[in-house]
Amino acid sequence: TIDESASRTNPEILPYWDVKKNGALKPTMFSAGSKRIVFWKCPKCGNTDQNKMNVARRTCGLTILYSPH
């Protein structure tokens, strides 16, 4: 549900969501624990990464933590 979506429970991910590469997919469609593979984009340098929603990842030295609450 939207109340359990990653964008609501982990709003710190929103700047990293790659709007262009994810197309019709929205962070409101997934929980932070989802195993769905999506694209992430570094807001500083623009490099992209493709990984699961539930995996902690590093992009250009920036740590992005996703953990279900």
Side-chain angles (χ1 to χ4, degrees):
T1 67
I2 291 177
D3 286 344
E4 296 172 355
S5 73
S7 61
R8 185 166 173 90
T9 61
N10 296 77
E12 66 276 8
I13 71 168
L14 295 178
Y16 300 93
W17 186 260
D18 192 328
V19 174
K20 185 175 180 180
K21 286 192 175 182
N22 284 315
L25 299 178
K26 307 290 181 219
T28 55
M29 299 168 73
F30 309 101
S31 69
S34 173
K35 293 182 180 170
R36 175 68 184 238
I37 294 175
V38 294
F39 288 94
W40 305 100
K41 184 174 182 178
C42 175
K44 291 192 176 191
C45 72
N47 284 344
T48 59
D49 178 35
Q50 186 179 23
N51 216 325
K52 296 177 184 176
M53 291 284 292
N54 69 344
V55 176
R57 59 195 55 72
R58 295 179 62 82
T59 303
C60 304
L62 299 174
T63 301
I64 311 166
L65 299 176
Y66 309 95
S67 57
H69 292 282

